[in-house]
């Protein structure tokens, strides 16, 4: 065989092996990128769920605070009414005591 034929065959074999190795490397890189993206996506989903639970907890706590506020407001109104009646009775007693 001629030296140029051997050189051409070796060059073709090198080119084909380069293509195969490059393709295999790219496929491995793509798999690795997909795995990393999946892991990142899972972490983001977990973080989002954690935030959702926190918001739900805050909504429940806010609702409970509203109920407590309403109960305190109602009690305050009753105390004010009672104090008003007590003042009226005290005023009557003072008038009766003076007169």
């Amino acid at each position: 065989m001629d030296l140029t034929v051997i050189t051409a065959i070796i060059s073709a074999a090198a080119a084909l092996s380069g293509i195969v190795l490059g393709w295999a490397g790219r496929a491995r890189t793509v798999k690795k990128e997909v795995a990393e993206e999946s892991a990142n996506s899972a972490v983001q989903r977990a973080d989002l769920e954690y935030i959702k639970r926190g918001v739900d907890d805050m909504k429940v706590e806010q609702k409970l605070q509203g109920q407590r506020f309403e109960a305190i407001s109602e009690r305050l109104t009753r105390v004010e009414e009672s104090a008003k009646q007590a003042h009226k009775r005290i005023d009557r007693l003072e008038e009766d005591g003076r007169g």
Side-chain angles (χ1 to χ4, degrees):
M1 273 212 227
D2 192 350
L3 185 60
T4 46
V5 174
I6 294 174
T7 304
I9 292 173
I10 292 174
S11 296
L16 286 175
S17 67
I19 291 171
V20 169
L21 290 175
W23 191 268
R26 176 67 182 138
R28 186 177 33 223
T29 302
V30 167
K31 286 181 184 178
K32 187 177 179 181
E33 288 175 355
V34 168
E36 287 175 0
E37 287 177 14
S38 297
N40 288 339
S41 178
V43 168
Q44 287 176 347
R45 273 189 255 121
D47 289 345
L48 186 59
E49 287 299 318
Y50 177 76
I51 291 169
K52 284 180 182 178
R53 282 193 304 271
V55 169
D56 290 343
D57 291 345
M58 284 188 272
K59 286 180 180 179
V60 168
E61 183 63 29
Q62 186 177 16
K63 186 175 181 179
L64 290 173
Q65 289 291 353
Q67 291 172 350
R68 289 181 196 128
F69 180 77
E70 288 175 11
I72 290 172
S73 295
E74 185 176 323
R75 289 179 64 194
L76 177 62
T77 302
R78 288 182 186 160
V79 168
E80 287 174 339
E81 290 172 358
S82 178
K84 185 177 179 180
Q85 290 175 359
H87 281 290
K88 286 180 182 180
R89 287 192 301 264
I90 291 170
D91 289 344
R92 271 189 263 140
L93 287 173
E94 286 178 350
E95 287 175 6
D96 289 344
R98 285 189 219 161

